Amino acid sequence: MFRNALEPWHLVLILAVLVLLFGSKKLPDMARGLGKSMRILKAETKAMKSEYRDGEAAAPEQQRTVGQE
């Protein structure tokens, strides 16, 4: 059913519709904004992963101190 779902002419058609809707002057600004958003999302995801790893490393130490009391 979706064997040839996204062929090159589909991409050309989508690009043409975007240019007609937003104009050629706004598209670079939109792409720049999207790139900044992706960078922020990536940085936040990396920070959350490192916090999670730090929390896992601290958890066994806390359990040992609780068990020793």
Side-chain angles (χ1 to χ4, degrees), residues 1-11:
M1 185 170 154
F2 294 110
R3 194 173 84 191
N4 293 326
L6 199 59
E7 293 181 4
W9 69 271
H10 290 119
L11 297 175

Side-chain angles (χ1 to χ4, degrees), residues 12-36:
V12 171
L13 183 63
I14 291 170
L15 184 63
V17 169
L18 287 174
V19 169
L20 287 174
L21 286 177
F22 299 108
S24 61
K25 292 184 180 181
K26 291 237 179 199
L27 286 177
D29 294 334
M30 291 174 57
R32 194 174 299 113
L34 181 63
K36 286 180 183 178

Side-chain angles (χ1 to χ4, degrees), residues 30-61:
M30 291 174 57
R32 194 174 299 113
L34 181 63
K36 286 180 183 178
S37 299
M38 292 299 292
R39 265 186 255 123
I40 291 170
L41 179 65
K42 188 176 180 179
E44 292 295 325
T45 303
K46 188 182 287 188
M48 288 178 66
K49 285 181 181 179
S50 68
E51 287 177 9
Y52 179 73
R53 279 190 230 120
D54 293 344
E56 282 184 344
E61 293 173 8

